[in-house]
Amino acid sequence: MSTLVIGANGGIGRILVQQLKDANESFAAGVRKQEQVDELKNADVDAILVDVENDSIESLTDKFKGFDNVVFSVGSGGSTGPDKTIIVDLDGAVKTIEASKASNVQKYVMVSTYDSRREAFDPSGDLKPYTIAKHYADEYLKNSGVNYTIVHPGGLLDDAGTSKIEAASFFEGRGSIPREDVASVLKDIVTNDGYNNAEFQIISGKASISDALKNYK
């Protein structure tokens, strides 16, 4: 199976790319700047330009052809302003979903926010545009007809991964997880069958990744 990692220059994307490379998996890193493509190719990593903000659906469709999986690990974050949030986290996601459908991608993996339910909209307004964008991107994906897996990681840490997590449809309260463990979950999803039309939250825990995710395979 061949995987396209969009957002391969991000915190999770970089780790996932290295994990796939170490495992000799078939993949390409999608980044939005030519210098990033050049840097990755110099490191013997297949890379292509994917700019979810400016690429059209038609252009993305051409780029996605031949890939079995697409991982959307792109995010403007909560501090870039509502306009960029809508452009990247909502419209960018929708364009890649439509391109995945048109290019017959077998599985679309969305790295979402920890809680994208309407109930999670921040009443203070600080993160409300970001959560709204993620909410509607997730809902669009679930109704798109594209086979999907939506991963909701807890608070992201730069700590070393432990390969021990918990997974649930919804946790009461908050939790955190190293980026390395999130990447390991994504690697498991794109290199194994299953996880069809599945959605779950992940936080650090005591179970192995395969055991924690067995209910979603």
Side-chain angles (χ1 to χ4, degrees):
M1 292 183 287
S2 183
T3 298
L4 174 61
V5 181
I6 309 174
N9 204 50
I12 295 170
R14 279 180 178 270
I15 301 171
L16 175 59
V17 162
Q18 188 60 52
Q19 289 180 349
L20 293 171
K21 184 175 186 291
D22 291 344
N24 294 314
E25 295 290 342
S26 176
F27 74 95
V31 290
R32 65 184 185 89
K33 295 181 180 179
Q34 184 59 50
E35 54 264 37
Q36 295 168 343
V37 171
D38 297 339
E39 178 185 345
L40 285 160
K41 288 186 174 180
N42 288 337
D44 197 29
V45 173
D46 187 19
I48 61 173
L49 283 171
V50 179
D51 185 345
V52 302
E53 180 176 352
N54 295 301
D55 283 351
S56 66
I57 293 174
E58 292 74 21
S59 173
L60 291 168
T61 299
D62 288 339
K63 294 177 181 182
F64 289 7
K65 287 178 180 176
F67 290 104
D68 301 300
N69 307 305
V70 167
V71 177
F72 188 87
S73 186
V74 178
S76 66
S79 60
T80 56
D83 54 345
K84 186 69 72 172
T85 297
I86 294 299
I87 292 168
V88 173
D89 296 281
L90 180 52
D91 188 56
V94 168
K95 288 193 292 185
T96 60
I97 293 164
E98 286 299 313
S100 295
K101 183 191 299 186
S103 54
N104 296 313
V105 165
Q106 295 178 20
K107 187 187 297 177
Y108 183 107
V109 184
M110 173 74 82
V111 183
S112 186
T113 190
Y114 181 60
D115 189 352
S116 64
R117 300 172 306 145
R118 289 191 62 88
E119 296 91 332
F121 292 177
D122 181 6
S124 74
D126 292 343
L127 286 175
K128 193 168 184 177
Y130 177 70
T131 310
I132 289 174
K134 288 296 189 183
H135 169 78
Y136 283 106
D138 290 352
E139 290 302 308
Y140 192 93
L141 176 58
K142 286 185 278 188
N143 289 286
S144 68
V146 176
N147 183 32
Y148 66 84
T149 310
I150 302 175
V151 180
H152 298 275
L156 297 172
L157 306 173
D158 290 324
D159 300 352
T162 66
S163 296
K164 300 291 185 181
I165 68 166
E166 289 184 56
S169 298
F170 179 72
F171 288 107
E172 292 291 345
R174 304 293 294 180
S176 58
I177 187 170
R179 287 177 171 84
E180 185 177 355
D181 285 336
V182 179
S184 296
V185 168
L186 299 176
K187 175 178 175 288
D188 191 79
I189 291 169
V190 299
T191 57
N192 290 285
D193 293 330
Y195 302 110
N196 298 321
N197 300 322
E199 180 177 14
F200 47 84
Q201 293 178 328
I202 52 172
I203 57 175
S204 291
K206 297 181 179 180
S208 68
I209 289 172
S210 59
D211 283 346
L213 298 180
K214 63 185 178 182
N215 292 331
Y216 302 97
K217 291 186 103 173

